[in-house]
Structures are given as structure tokens and as C-alpha cells.
Amino acid sequence: MHASPPPLPVLVVGSGPTGLTLAVDLARRGVGVRIIDKSPEFPRTSRAKGPNPRSLEVLEDLGVLDAVLAAGAAPLPMRKYRDGVAVADAEPFADQRPTPDAPYDRPHMMAQWRMEEILRARLAEYGVRVELGAELVGLAEGEASVTATLADGRLIEASYVAGCDGGHSAVRKLLGIPFEGRTDETQLMVCGDVEVEGLDRGFWHQWFDEDGAVMLCPIPGTRSGWWFQAGPERDASGAPLPPSLAGFRRLFAHHTGLPADRLTGATLLSTYRVNERMAARYRVGRALLAGDAAHVHSIAGGLGMNTGIQDAYNLGWKLGRVAAGLAGPALLDTYEEERLPVAAQVLDISAERLRATLEAIRRPGGGLDSAVGPGTNGLGAGYHWSSLATSPRTTPRLRAGDRAPDAPCRDAATGEPRRLFEAFAGPHFTLLGFGTGTGGALREVAAAQGDELRAYGVDADGGLTDHGGHARAAYGVGPDDDLLVLVRPDNHIALIAEADDAKAVTAYLSGEEI
């Protein structure tokens, strides 16, 4: 009798935050994964300034939150200047506080290369490492697999391919998926990482003048490193000049009034243009897109990297179940169904934040604090329209498709503190049973599902104690009500059911819904 060959791995193309998040999520599910990148070495790029509150929740689930918090810093107050004179300070998150249902109230600033380093280390714990110098040039789908061709002639056979390879995605181009939208050539910035001496690293400094702007934000974890952004210099005809150390020094001296030689060591120079584009599709057969490969937009609101991380978090559990044979391929269609509308919302939010910022900086005291606004923390995104969110039962606070809130509880057996997010952490579904009347359904579903599900009674035997009433408040369950709430592996509400309705939960998990 011949043993069955091992399942083919999932191939992740691109090792930025999106690709690494997806690879970690797949690896922790025991799914074989390979991750490749065309770069010959890991880029030391700062670019995105860090994870927003929803991404921090994702990173906690993946087991890297402590490392992320240690490597970065809380957002800094912004100091705004006009004609070289400080005219206003702003702290856009000063009035925000963590709440029992949302423990992260603000983004966390850190260099993108450091975020990638942390995720690579986590991935290595599962025995997976990024394969560098591997440029994808061809894709061919067969009946049960897809073959990727690399520039050096190597072939990789995979069960599925995930294109997480940025705005110029080779995967998207090979699939022939349109990338529709616009590029605004009037909105330009020159960017880079620079060394600056003599500025207070306790502020994000922003000089907005009639004839241009310079923004300098200290890079956490460095002694004198700063993110540099500025309106470009222009030649006699008005055409923008490419970024350079000499140009950065001239811009710095002109707007700050400080000696040009205080700015040194400019690296990772680039010109940023506002691009607003979306892929027409997120899936073609065994190939899928995520992150910038699927959508790009204004940097206002800091949603680019974060939307990609959250794409990967949505895709990971679905691709993991399909690759492991626990669900049919149709489950992958819900990835596009859920995440493409979110990308459209993000384009609208970032465009509005950009408009508000451009309006604000026309006046002395205006600055990048105007880019912070509704929708930029990522906590409001739900999937109410999804075919995975058909549960008719709701509560005054939640319905199927919503983000599952956190809440501080206690272990009923030991009395030790235990948050709901700690109960959710891992690749499984979670079934919460509020009240003693849910005990029978919890036991029945847990016995049927095995390792695919964790069941917790809230104020019930052997589960969690809602000692402060925060869990019931967050989930909209009255003090005398009994209710079942099924939470997806990406911490969204899958199903709300009556206390004894084990059948509805089992039907959902058995594939009638997924």
C-alpha cells in the first residue's frame, strides 16, 4: 500500500508585512508554506509607520505583539511650524483610552523593516524561511495545483499561490487582472530615511509653508534616524526634481531655518505619488491577491500596510482550511466577497483624509493630525454583507460579521485574569456560551469538533467568569440572558444562536456555511 504524497505547500509571493502575516498564519495551522521574494536581500525600508489598533490585535493573535511593542513607540505629538516658527502642537490620540472591548486605542510607530524582521523570526519558529532572489515570471494552473516559474528557470509546484508582491505585483500581471484607478501626478512627495542632529526627538516636526513643506518624524529604535517627507524641488519649467541628499539639505535649510549640514546620510530615496487603484478581482482559480497587489491608495490615515495585514488575516484561515481539506474551494470566494468592499471603503477614507489634510495645511497650525479620523483605526470593519454572516439572530451590540470584542474575564477554575482575546488566540473557532443554559450545547459542539474549536462557558461551569460584566456588555447579552456566540478564527462573529441550538453551530462548522 502506497502512502499518499504530502500536500503541496501554499506559495506566498512577496515577503513584506502582508506576505509574512499570511505565511505565519498558514504555518501555525500546520499548512505547508513557501515564501519567496525577488529581492536579493531583505530591504531595510522604513516606509509604513506602523500597525494601527486592529493590526495590533492581529499581531497579538500571531504571538508577536510583545516584540512589536518593544521595537516601536507610541505616536508622538506633532509640532507644526510656519516660516520656521513653531505655531502649534497637536496630540491626535490624547483623548483616546483603551476600553475593555478594544485594548489598543492608537497606532504604534515602528520602521517597516523591523516589523518584517519580527514576523520573519516568528515564521522561522515554524521552520519556514523567506527564499530571496526568487523572481516569479510565470504561472500555470493545472487540475490540482499551480506551477510557478522563476527567472532562473526553477519551478515550484504549489496547491495555491498568494500574490503579496506589492503595487507592481507580478502575480496580478500574470493573471491579467486589471488594476483600475488613477495616479495623481500633482500630489508628489520626496521621501527617505535621513540622519538629523539637533532636533527634539519627542516630536514629529512639520513645516508647512506657502511654497512647500518638510516633515521629519524620528524613527523609533534609532539614535538620530528620521523619516523625511517633503514637497519636491522643481526645475525652471516646474518639473519635480528627483530626491537626493543635496536636495534634501536644501529643502531642510529652506523650511526649518537650520543649517543644511545637520541633515546627513539620506538613504532609501523615493518619489511618492498618490495612487488610488483596485484589482478587479482577488482570485483567479488557485491564485489570490492581497495587500498592495490588490489595492493602493493615499498614505493619509496610514491604512496601506494595515489593510494588507488584515487582508492576510482574513485569507489565512480560509486558505488554511481549504489547503488542509477541511473546506471546499468555494470558501476562498468569500475572501474577495469580504475584503474587496473593505478596500473600496479604505480608498474612500484615505481620499477624504488626504482632502482634509491638504485643506488644513493651507492655514498656520494645520498638519498631519488631520489625517487621523473615522475609520483609520481599523476597528469598525465588519462583513455584514458576507455569505458567511447569514445568522438572523442579533444582540443590541452585535450581529454576524462584526469584529468580536475583547473583554477582561477570569478563569473560573483558578480565578486568574483571562481576556477573551487570549481565549480566541490560535487557529481555531471559538464558541462562547453566555449563561448556564448553554452548557449542553457547548459540550455537544466541542465533542463533535475536536481541535477545530474551543468552547468556553461565560458564567458557566468550567469556563470564564465575567466578573465585571464587560463581556456581556460588549456582546450585548443581558445579565439574565443565555446565548451562544461563535467566533471565527479571524475574530469576527460567525453566528449568534439560542442557548440550546447546538445544531445551528454544528451546521455552520460542518460546511453548510463554510
Side-chain angles (χ1 to χ4, degrees):
M1 186 173 182
H2 297 288
S4 299
L8 292 170
V10 173
L11 176 63
V12 178
V13 183
S15 66
T18 301
L20 288 167
T21 297
L22 179 59
V24 170
D25 202 12
L26 291 170
R28 70 173 179 159
R29 298 172 190 283
V31 175
V33 59
R34 290 181 69 174
I35 178 168
I36 63 173
D37 198 291
K38 69 178 182 180
S39 299
E41 58 187 19
F42 296 121
R44 197 175 176 85
T45 177
S46 296
R47 291 192 295 184
K49 290 186 174 65
N52 67 12
R54 178 55 178 167
S55 290
L56 290 172
E57 295 179 357
V58 174
L59 295 167
E60 179 180 6
D61 188 17
L62 297 181
V64 298
L65 181 65
D66 288 347
V68 166
L69 295 179
L76 295 171
M78 300 177 182
R79 176 156 289 173
K80 281 82 70 75
Y81 302 79
R82 197 73 161 196
D83 298 324
V85 177
V87 294
D89 290 348
E91 294 189 57
F93 304 102
D95 296 332
Q96 298 187 24
R97 299 289 185 273
T99 59
D101 62 324
Y104 311 112
D105 64 326
R106 61 196 65 200
H108 196 67
M109 293 178 61
M110 64 187 304
Q112 183 172 319
W113 68 265
R114 187 69 182 97
M115 167 81 80
E116 293 171 358
E117 191 174 70
I118 290 168
L119 287 168
R120 286 199 303 269
R122 182 62 167 161
L123 187 59
E125 294 177 14
Y126 298 103
V128 181
R129 288 175 168 77
V130 177
E131 302 171 40
L132 293 172
E135 181 180 0
L136 180 75
V137 296
L139 284 175
E141 182 170 340
E143 183 177 342
S145 66
V146 58
T147 301
T149 302
L150 304 186
D152 60 8
R154 285 182 293 159
L155 302 178
I156 298 176
E157 192 175 8
S159 56
Y160 289 89
V161 171
C164 307
D165 47 344
H168 299 289
S169 171
V171 174
R172 188 188 66 241
K173 292 174 182 177
L174 288 168
L175 295 174
I177 297 176
F179 202 39
E180 299 164 346
R182 69 185 187 97
T183 300
D184 187 347
E185 294 290 351
T186 68
Q187 296 294 333
L188 300 177
M189 283 196 308
V190 288
C191 310
D193 289 7
V194 300
E195 300 290 322
V196 175
E197 296 289 351
L199 280 180
D200 186 342
R201 292 181 65 83
F203 291 92
W204 184 345
H205 301 272
Q206 302 166 15
W207 292 265
F208 290 106
D209 297 320
E210 295 284 349
D211 60 348
V214 163
M215 293 149 278
L216 280 164
C217 182
I219 302 174
T222 65
R223 184 188 66 81
S224 57
W226 297 74
W227 285 296
F228 180 98
Q229 297 167 286
E233 295 183 298
R234 296 183 181 272
D235 63 19
S237 69
L241 296 175
S244 67
L245 172 58
F248 281 11
R249 282 177 161 174
R250 288 189 294 268
L251 288 164
F252 174 79
H254 174 71
H255 290 286
T256 70
L258 298 172
D261 60 7
R262 287 197 184 180
L263 187 151
T264 60
T267 58
L268 303 172
L269 307 183
S270 65
T271 298
Y272 169 80
R273 293 170 173 81
V274 173
N275 276 299
E276 297 177 334
R277 297 182 183 276
M278 282 180 52
R281 299 180 63 187
Y282 280 18
R283 180 189 178 197
V284 175
R286 292 180 173 271
L288 303 107
L289 301 176
D292 286 356
H295 46 75
V296 294
H297 43 79
S298 160
I299 60 173
L303 292 168
M305 178 189 75
N306 288 291
T307 305
I309 287 173
Q310 292 153 37
D311 283 347
Y313 195 47
N314 182 288
L315 177 59
W317 73 272
K318 298 171 180 177
L319 188 52
R321 288 180 69 84
V322 173
L326 299 172
L331 178 60
L332 296 177
D333 290 333
T334 69
Y335 166 62
E336 176 182 308
E337 178 188 8
E338 293 183 343
R339 292 303 297 175
L340 194 149
V342 170
Q345 293 169 5
V346 167
L347 259 68
D348 290 342
I349 292 168
S350 61
E352 171 56 26
R353 290 300 91 206
L354 178 62
R355 185 207 61 76
T357 302
L358 293 175
E359 177 66 26
I361 63 177
R362 294 191 181 104
R363 303 181 299 273
L368 298 185
D369 48 311
S370 296
V372 178
T376 59
N377 64 13
L379 297 177
Y383 308 122
H384 303 141
W385 58 86
S386 172
S387 58
L388 298 183
T390 59
S391 169
R393 185 70 163 84
T394 65
T395 77
R397 290 290 304 273
L398 292 176
R399 54 178 167 158
D402 280 333
R403 164 191 165 273
D406 194 12
C409 297
R410 288 182 182 153
D411 187 289
T414 67
E416 293 294 318
R418 186 167 171 81
R419 294 163 51 217
L420 288 185
F421 277 4
E422 293 173 325
F424 299 161
H428 52 76
F429 282 82
T430 305
L431 181 61
L432 300 177
F434 288 90
T436 56
T438 62
L442 289 174
R443 289 189 292 273
E444 180 180 340
V445 175
Q449 297 300 318
D451 291 341
E452 294 301 310
L453 177 132
R454 301 286 186 274
Y456 296 91
V458 181
D459 294 332
D461 292 341
L464 302 170
T465 301
D466 186 20
H467 61 288
H470 295 298
R472 284 183 176 270
Y475 283 74
V477 183
D480 300 320
D481 294 335
D482 291 358
L483 200 67
L484 295 171
V485 179
L486 181 65
V487 179
R488 297 172 8 172
D490 61 349
N491 296 1
H492 281 263
I493 304 298
L495 180 76
I496 301 172
E498 300 299 335
D500 59 351
D501 198 355
K503 182 178 178 181
V505 179
T506 302
Y508 189 102
L509 292 169
S510 67
E512 292 183 24
E513 294 292 343
I514 63 170

